[in-house]
Amino acid sequence: MAKPGCVFLMYHEIELPGRPLCQSAAGYLRYILPLETFRSQMAWMKSYGWRGLNVGEALRYPAEPSVCITFDDGCETDLIAAAPVLREFGFNATFYLTAGFLGTPGYLSASQVRDLDAQGFQIGCHSMTHPYLSDLPETELKREVVDAKLQIETVVGHAIEHFSCPGGRYDQRTLQMARHAGFATVANSHFCANSSSTSPYELGRVAMLRDLTIEEFGVICHGRGLWKKRLQHQARRGAQRVLGNRAYDRLRAVLLGEPRQ
Ligand SMILES: [Zn+2]
C-alpha cells in the first residue's frame, strides 16, 4: 500500500491548570487540549519512533515516520506549555501567529516570540486580526496577509515563509496574495495528509480535538481514517456555502449551546 503521506497536525491553545483560556466559547474549547493530553501524544510519538517536524522540515517529506506539528493563533501557551514538551521529546513545530494579537492578554508578547524563535522553533503567520479571509475586500485582505507578514518579520528580524488561514477559510485571491507577499506555503484545515504532489499553497491539516483518544491520535499520525473526517468536513463546508460564514457560525453557536456574542 502506498504511504498516505505526511500528516500535518493543527493545535491551538494548551490548557494549564488554573489558567483562564484566551476565549470562552464552547466552540473554542473543543480545540483546546489539556497539557497532559498534548504531552501523552508527544510521548506516544516518541515511543513509536515518530519524528515531529516543523513545516519547512516536513516539506522535504522524509521517508522515516514523521508528522508535522503546527499551532495556530499565537497563544502564550505556545511558549510556556507546548515548547518545553516539544524540546523534551526533541521535536520541532511551526507556530503561526496572529500579528494583531501579540501582546494582548493570553497571547505571546514580542519578546516571547523572539524567545520561541531563538529556541529553534519555526514562526509562521496566521493573519493580522483573524477574520475569514474569503469574506474580505482586496485592501483588507492585503492587510491580513502582507502587513501581518511584515509585522511578524519586524519582531523576529528575518523572513516569515509560512501562512495558515484563520478558520481554514480561503479562496484563490488569498493564495495569490500569499504567493505575491513571498510566502512559500499556505496551510488550511482540510482533513488530508500531504505529499510531494500536494501544492505547498494548499497544505491540509488535521485539527487536534480535545476529546481525541490516544488510539485515534495514532490512527491520525498514520494518515488512516482521514476519509471519515473528510466527509464530516465536506458536510460542514457544504452548510457554510449554503448559509454563508456568519449564518453558519450563528447556527453552530446555537447547536453547541454557546451564549450569543
Ligand atoms: Zn486561528
Side-chain angles (χ1 to χ4, degrees):
M1 200 176 78
K3 193 171 175 284
C6 182
V7 174
F8 285 41
L9 308 177
M10 174 174 63
Y11 291 97
H12 292 84
E13 186 174 12
I14 298 289
E15 185 180 65
L16 290 172
R19 184 186 158 90
L21 297 174
C22 289
Q23 294 181 37
S24 55
Y28 182 77
L29 187 65
R30 218 172 148 237
Y31 294 96
I32 306 308
L33 273 65
L35 178 62
E36 273 319 299
T37 308
F38 175 66
R39 198 178 178 286
S40 65
Q41 293 176 350
M42 298 301 108
W44 180 94
M45 282 172 53
K46 191 75 182 177
S47 67
Y48 287 97
W50 288 72
R51 295 167 60 203
L53 309 176
N54 65 33
V55 171
E57 294 165 339
L59 286 175
R60 294 195 276 274
Y61 295 107
E64 312 86 73
S66 320
V67 293
C68 179
I69 303 173
T70 72
F71 287 81
D72 277 0
D73 299 349
C75 297
E76 199 178 10
T77 57
D78 289 357
L79 177 74
I80 64 175
V85 173
L86 292 165
R87 278 207 317 273
E88 178 188 343
F89 291 106
F91 298 153
N92 208 303
T94 298
F95 293 95
Y96 293 107
L97 315 181
T98 309
F101 291 179
L102 296 181
T104 64
Y107 294 91
L108 294 163
S109 68
S111 69
Q112 287 176 316
V113 172
R114 284 189 285 273
D115 191 350
L116 260 186
D117 185 58
Q119 289 183 28
F121 293 109
Q122 187 168 50
I123 305 298
C125 177
H126 189 54
S127 83
M128 184 69 88
T129 65
H130 208 277
Y132 292 148
L133 299 176
S134 51
D135 290 348
L136 298 182
E138 197 79 359
T139 45
E140 286 177 42
L141 184 61
K142 182 171 173 289
R143 177 173 140 75
E144 297 294 337
V145 176
V146 182
D147 297 359
K149 181 178 196 284
L150 295 174
Q151 189 165 318
I152 298 172
E153 288 176 344
T154 304
V155 170
V156 295
H158 60 76
I160 295 295
E161 298 188 325
H162 306 287
F163 186 85
S164 71
C165 303
R169 314 291 208 287
Y170 68 98
D171 54 14
Q172 287 308 312
R173 290 177 320 144
T174 310
L175 302 186
Q176 246 168 31
M177 184 77 77
R179 197 187 288 253
H180 286 149
F183 285 109
T185 73
V186 175
N188 52 51
S189 43
H190 292 164
F191 286 92
C192 56
N194 302 309
S195 70
S196 50
S197 59
T198 307
S199 162
Y201 291 94
E202 294 198 68
L203 296 171
R205 289 185 301 163
V206 177
M208 293 291 100
L209 301 178
R210 185 181 182 86
D211 56 5
L212 204 67
T213 65
I214 198 71
E215 290 77 21
E216 288 170 326
F217 178 77
V219 167
I220 287 173
C221 289
H222 281 96
R224 292 193 297 253
L226 293 183
W227 61 270
K228 217 191 291 178
K229 291 272 186 199
R230 202 175 308 149
L231 281 181
Q232 290 165 358
H233 181 80
Q234 279 165 358
R236 207 163 62 224
R237 278 283 187 264
Q240 279 164 2
R241 258 196 304 279
V242 171
L243 296 171
N245 282 333
R246 286 218 176 76
Y248 171 80
D249 280 353
R250 275 198 301 275
L251 174 66
R252 183 164 174 270
V254 169
L255 294 176
L256 290 169
E258 289 172 19
R260 284 176 70 102
Q261 291 172 17

